[in-house]
Amino acid sequence: NRTCELLPEAITPRQWRAYLLAEMRHFERAIDDANWVLERSEEPDFRLLRAEWNYRAGNYGTAIAQCSAFLEQNTKWLSRAYGQRAACLEAISKADQAAADHAKFQELTSVDVSTLDMSAGPMSGRDISLRNSTIALRVVRKIQSLNVELNEQIEHTIGRVLYRNGLFDESATWLEERLATGKGEFDGFDLAVLTMAYHRLGQVEKARETLDRAEAWQPTIPLDFTQRRELRILRAEMQNAIE
């Protein structure tokens, strides 16, 4: 806020304030900043984030119009635009149009699980400027539909995406089943998300139990720099969520 006051024509602080407001679920205020930014710059991914925030705010008609304009003007991120518009059309019960957009989304997205995870992971991960929960969920549903064996990191991504979309019960069930396998290599990541899911479900005792396990967990294999950083951020988010 202070930087926006001192540099009233600067785009970057407005953009980052929009990310933060959206993360705090102040979607209308985030949209106001996004509108201001996009009057002065053209960033395709930020345009799609604005559509996501309108979707989250219940401004379905606006989000549909923004996705439609995006599809007319861009050749990049088309799958995300179709997926976002499909979600909006579903929300207003336009099933046939939603199905057509979802079919385009399926056509344009890869069927390689590792590639799909590289898409869904950042859209639900540590960098809030990349988060697009709606599209991440559609990618996850595609991963689940492939019915193939998944590695631990991808399984964690699925649980995290479910949590980001407010599917707390489904996220908790998925992560508990994953933790029950006893592999243990990435349990600390799962436990952090599981703690937050139980907290959002109002299951206080389970949240406390998983919080203790999350804080006590130590990796059984060396984590690389990116994994260590992600774990620190996820643990910080967990602490903030339950305070």
Side-chain angles (χ1 to χ4, degrees), residues 124-144:
S124 64
R126 61 187 178 273
D127 189 340
I128 63 172
S129 68
L130 300 177
R131 287 189 188 169
N132 190 313
S133 301
T134 307
I135 306 307
L137 181 61
R138 288 187 176 268
V139 172
V140 156
R141 295 305 190 205
K142 183 158 188 174
I143 292 174
Q144 292 174 313

Side-chain angles (χ1 to χ4, degrees), residues 29-242:
R29 292 170 61 195
I31 292 163
D32 286 343
D33 271 349
N35 289 338
W36 187 93
V37 168
L38 289 169
E39 287 173 1
R40 294 159 174 81
S41 70
E42 279 294 322
E43 292 191 34
D45 52 348
F46 194 62
R47 290 179 68 191
L48 285 176
L49 280 173
R50 180 180 62 174
E52 154 111 357
W53 299 338
N54 271 298
Y55 168 73
R56 296 286 171 188
N59 304 326
Y60 303 123
T62 300
I64 289 169
Q66 289 170 350
C67 290
S68 298
F70 183 91
L71 288 164
E72 291 174 1
Q73 299 164 6
N74 291 271
T75 57
K76 188 180 180 182
W77 308 120
L78 296 186
S79 64
R80 289 172 59 179
Y82 278 115
Q84 186 68 67
R85 192 169 69 176
C88 296
L89 290 164
E90 288 168 357
I92 58 175
S93 302
K94 293 192 174 183
D96 291 344
Q97 294 177 51
D101 274 0
H102 185 64
K104 287 294 293 183
F105 173 82
Q106 293 285 347
E107 176 189 329
L108 291 166
T109 51
S110 168
V111 294
D112 178 76
V113 172
S114 61
T115 302
L116 289 169
D117 180 58
M118 288 174 65
S119 171
M123 286 192 287
S124 64
R126 61 187 178 273
D127 189 340
I128 63 172
S129 68
L130 300 177
R131 287 189 188 169
N132 190 313
S133 301
T134 307
I135 306 307
L137 181 61
R138 288 187 176 268
V139 172
V140 156
R141 295 305 190 205
K142 183 158 188 174
I143 292 174
Q144 292 174 313
S145 73
L146 296 175
N147 196 28
V148 296
E149 186 174 350
L150 306 173
N151 66 38
E152 286 189 74
Q153 287 180 297
I154 296 175
E155 288 178 339
H156 168 74
T157 296
I158 292 173
R160 191 176 68 223
V161 169
L162 293 171
Y163 171 79
R164 297 269 183 239
N165 279 275
L167 302 171
F168 306 124
D169 192 51
E170 188 178 353
S171 175
T173 300
W174 176 272
L175 292 169
E176 285 285 19
E177 290 176 356
R178 210 213 64 71
L179 287 162
T181 64
K183 295 178 182 177
E185 291 182 0
F186 295 97
D187 285 4
F189 297 82
D190 294 339
L191 287 164
V193 177
L194 185 58
T195 298
M196 294 188 287
Y198 279 140
H199 177 73
R200 294 296 293 271
L201 288 166
Q203 298 184 26
V204 178
E205 290 302 320
K206 284 188 175 181
R208 286 175 180 163
E209 177 194 347
T210 52
L211 173 64
D212 290 342
R213 291 169 62 194
E215 291 180 332
W217 181 81
Q218 295 294 326
T220 58
I221 60 171
L223 301 179
D224 62 28
F225 172 79
T226 301
Q227 291 167 333
R228 294 196 302 273
R229 180 171 177 264
E230 182 172 345
L231 183 60
R232 286 197 302 272
I233 293 170
L234 201 53
R235 282 176 163 170
E237 183 183 358
M238 174 187 70
Q239 292 289 349
N240 288 334
I242 62 177

